[in-house]
């Protein structure tokens, strides 16, 4: 299974950041699998943002819940992150991750740097 993030590398403050993760080699609707967004600001640790399960249920970090939306397009085997009202503190490398704790499998995208700046 391979994951690839895509989206703009530069977003202006107050705008909405939108990223897409395209999954190949496996289906995002496979039973037992979940698909997450994780970010890492410069010089800081990884932060889990939220996830969408194989059935379409969504889960969000409490700290980002008011600004985050995760959706999917099963016809394209993609899932999408939207983060609204961004500030320079949202500058980070954004990763998509997929996997199954049931089967002990985990897959990561290579990550994409998003800079929030005017």
């Amino acid at each position: 299974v391979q994951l690839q993030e895509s989206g703009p590398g530069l977003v202006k403050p107050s705008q909405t950041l939108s990223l897409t993760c395209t999954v190949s080699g496996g289906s995002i609707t496979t039973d037992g699998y979940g698909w997450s967004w994780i970010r890492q600001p410069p010089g800081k640790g990884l932060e889990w943002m939220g996830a969408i399960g194989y059935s379409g249920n969504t889960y969000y970090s409490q700290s980002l819940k008011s600004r985050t939306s995760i959706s999917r397009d099963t016809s394209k085997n993609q899932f999408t992150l939207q983060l609204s009202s961004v500030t320079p503190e949202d500058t980070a490398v954004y990763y998509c991750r997929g996997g199954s704790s049931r089967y002990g499998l985990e897959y990561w995208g290579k990550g994409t740097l998003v800079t929030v700046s005017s």
Side-chain angles (χ1 to χ4, degrees):
V1 178
Q2 293 184 326
L3 287 76
Q4 178 66 58
E5 304 90 350
S6 60
L10 179 64
V11 182
K12 294 183 178 180
S14 80
Q15 292 187 341
T16 295
L17 178 161
S18 184
L19 295 174
T20 296
C21 183
T22 300
V23 179
S24 59
S27 172
I28 62 173
T29 60
T30 298
D31 189 1
Y33 278 70
W35 309 91
S36 300
W37 286 99
I38 296 164
R39 68 180 182 179
Q40 185 169 31
K44 298 184 178 180
L46 294 170
E47 178 183 21
W48 180 81
M49 302 180 69
I52 186 165
Y54 66 95
S55 62
N57 291 340
T58 53
Y59 312 88
Y60 298 106
S61 162
Q62 281 297 320
S63 63
L64 295 171
K65 187 175 183 178
S66 64
R67 300 195 291 131
T68 306
S69 178
I70 297 175
S71 59
R72 67 180 185 173
D73 185 335
T74 56
S75 68
K76 296 181 180 179
N77 215 36
Q78 296 175 334
F79 61 106
T80 299
L81 168 73
Q82 289 192 312
L83 181 67
S84 63
S85 304
V86 297
T87 71
E89 292 188 346
D90 293 309
T91 294
V93 176
Y94 286 77
Y95 299 92
C96 57
R97 183 186 71 183
S100 170
S101 58
R102 181 189 305 177
Y103 305 116
L105 298 171
E106 189 174 83
Y107 311 97
W108 287 75
K110 293 181 179 179
T112 185
L113 174 63
V114 179
T115 301
V116 179
S117 175
S118 56

